[in-house]
Amino acid sequence: MEIFKYMETHDYEQLVICQDKTSGLKAIIAIHDTTLGPALGGTRMWTYASEEEAIEDALRLAKGMTYKNAAAGLDLGGGKTVIIGNPKTDKNDEMFRAFGRFIEGLNGRYITAEDVGTTEADMDLIHLETDYVTGVSAEFGSSGNPSPVTAFGVYKGMKAAAKEAFGSDSLEGKIVAVQGVGNVAYTLCEYLHEEGAKLIVTDINKEAVQRAVDAFGATAVETDEIYSQDADIFAPCALGAIINDETIPQLKVKVIAGSANNQLKNPEHGDTIHEMGIVYAPDYVINSGGVINVADELAGYNRERALKRVAGIYDTIEKIFAISKRDNIPSYVAADRLAEERIARVAKSRGQFLQNEKSVLSRKK
């Protein structure tokens, strides 16, 4: 991998390689874009096959956070960290304290949070060395478990997608096929059930499925049967890459709206469902409630304020559909365009401000 060439092509700002011999820390911090503000993105710990694979993952995830934060209306850029190692066997307190010192050294350019393989306890250790961390324990001002807030955002986004597809955002009587019934999806099912939607659920965890059946009167189906259900809405809330060549022909729904990341296996699958007339709520927008929530910690967490901003996912999804129609493009492309247009506006404004400052200084001379 030609790192500088890759960074130049995709317009990355910074790549930081961190190692601490005593604790065994090997981490990569990728900062993609800070036009809107400091880069915010979680720390992932994973057993990568190679250092190159870890770097590629950090870069890819950082760019994704730029788009996610921009589309969510946050005054934050995109960054991400990956720590190389097994989160079950390789962790130690000194590792996360050492990592906290590296973050502190960036002087606020990067703010971290939990991600795959890291926990609230890990964030507390980082917090011993730096204030540039979110998702810490409640006594330090944490927003708590992000799952309910993420679910609330998905629910609001689903209603916006339903309005686009059916002319009304009411979900009463709608049949929703939910793939995965984990923490986020279970709370989403609560919202849907309360509004009078009918639920079809599946999960590899049979206990999770039975819980939804008992609580919401949901209909349970096998994992490979969820795509072909006679439903109005498909809510992917588990695996990524599940909109693909094999699943698309089975779909009978008018809306796809769920919490899973990276739902489209490839961009062309987004083109295909657009051509089929399926309304797709782009995943990184509809599931952005979690990052909106933790971002509120930076101002001193206020749950009412955070939930109000998360509810704004409804409006953001509507804007994406408007751009999709305006430019005759699929919604996944429209989401990127929304983010890119916002970044461009701020960059232009900042450039004009600097130009004006230079003019003032020149006149003073």
Side-chain angles (χ1 to χ4, degrees):
M1 179 184 184
E2 298 181 56
I3 292 176
F4 280 110
K5 184 176 181 180
Y6 185 91
M7 290 179 70
E8 182 180 1
T9 299
H10 299 281
D11 206 19
Y12 287 85
E13 294 181 9
Q14 191 171 6
L15 188 68
V16 184
I17 309 296
C18 314
Q19 79 84 27
D20 180 71
K21 186 176 181 180
T22 302
S23 65
L25 174 72
K26 292 181 175 62
I28 298 110
I29 303 171
I31 297 175
H32 177 248
D33 188 285
T34 57
T35 301
L36 298 178
L40 172 66
T43 293
R44 175 172 297 191
M45 188 169 185
W46 196 252
T47 49
Y48 292 96
S50 66
E51 293 175 1
E52 183 177 86
E53 183 182 78
I55 291 170
E56 287 180 353
D57 200 32
L59 290 167
R60 177 183 63 84
L61 292 167
K63 184 175 182 180
M65 288 306 302
T66 292
Y67 281 79
K68 187 167 195 164
N69 292 338
L74 299 174
D75 295 318
L76 294 164
K80 204 78 171 187
T81 295
V82 300
I83 295 176
I84 301 173
N86 188 324
K88 295 182 179 179
T89 59
D90 296 337
K91 282 185 182 181
N92 58 69
D93 291 1
E94 293 75 21
M95 174 183 290
F96 287 96
R97 293 198 64 166
F99 179 55
R101 292 192 290 273
F102 282 111
I103 294 175
E104 180 68 15
L106 290 171
N107 295 314
R109 277 179 54 76
Y110 171 67
I111 303 161
T112 198
E114 293 175 46
D115 203 286
V116 175
T118 60
T119 66
E120 181 181 283
D122 299 329
M123 298 305 110
D124 285 350
L125 290 167
I126 293 170
H127 185 58
L128 292 174
E129 304 290 346
T130 185
D131 289 331
Y132 301 119
V133 55
T134 61
V136 292
S137 296
E139 58 262 37
F140 299 127
S142 168
S143 55
N145 180 4
S147 295
V149 183
T150 302
F152 177 63
V154 174
Y155 169 66
K156 287 293 186 179
M158 184 183 290
K159 287 178 72 66
K163 183 179 178 182
E164 180 70 15
F166 308 116
S168 167
D169 68 4
S170 174
L171 299 174
E172 184 177 2
K174 292 291 185 288
I175 301 173
V176 185
V178 183
Q179 182 185 45
V181 202
N183 292 333
V184 173
Y186 185 84
T187 304
L188 173 64
C189 286
E190 284 187 308
Y191 283 116
L192 297 174
H193 178 67
E194 287 172 5
E195 191 167 336
K198 299 174 183 178
L199 300 172
I200 301 171
V201 299
T202 194
D203 196 300
I204 57 173
N205 183 340
K206 299 305 178 186
E207 291 181 1
V209 171
Q210 192 58 49
R211 185 183 175 206
V213 170
D214 294 341
F216 313 123
T219 300
V221 298
E222 295 299 319
T223 54
D224 59 352
E225 295 176 346
I226 195 69
Y227 307 105
S228 59
Q229 296 302 305
D230 287 315
D232 300 296
I233 299 169
F234 174 44
C237 298
L239 304 172
I242 47 76
I243 306 299
N244 55 52
D245 290 338
E246 290 72 39
T247 61
I248 289 174
Q250 301 179 54
L251 296 174
K252 301 173 184 176
V253 296
K254 293 294 184 184
V255 171
I256 298 175
S259 65
N261 288 308
N262 305 315
Q263 295 169 23
L264 303 174
K265 184 173 183 180
N266 293 308
E268 56 264 29
H269 296 121
D271 299 333
T272 300
I273 59 176
H274 175 70
E275 291 164 3
M276 293 169 63
I278 295 175
V279 173
Y280 171 59
D283 46 38
Y284 72 79
V285 179
I286 196 172
N287 69 13
S288 62
V291 72
I292 294 171
N293 195 50
V294 297
D296 196 80
E297 294 178 19
L298 301 174
Y301 186 64
N302 180 294
R303 188 170 180 81
E304 184 179 347
R305 179 180 62 205
L307 288 176
K308 185 176 180 180
R309 296 202 71 173
V310 173
I313 289 173
Y314 183 107
D315 300 323
T316 304
I317 295 291
E318 284 199 312
K319 289 177 186 176
I320 288 168
F321 294 147
I323 293 171
S324 175
K325 286 183 281 193
R326 179 194 75 189
D327 298 345
N328 193 27
I329 54 177
S331 59
Y332 81 94
V333 179
D336 289 353
R337 193 158 295 180
L338 175 73
E340 289 162 356
E341 287 177 354
R342 180 165 182 252
I343 293 169
R345 286 194 302 271
V346 173
K348 183 178 179 180
S349 174
R350 181 175 293 174
Q352 185 61 52
F353 174 79
L354 292 174
Q355 186 61 42
N356 291 342
E357 287 287 289
K358 288 179 182 178
S359 297
V360 170
L361 290 172
S362 177
R363 287 197 296 272
K364 286 182 177 180
K365 290 179 181 178

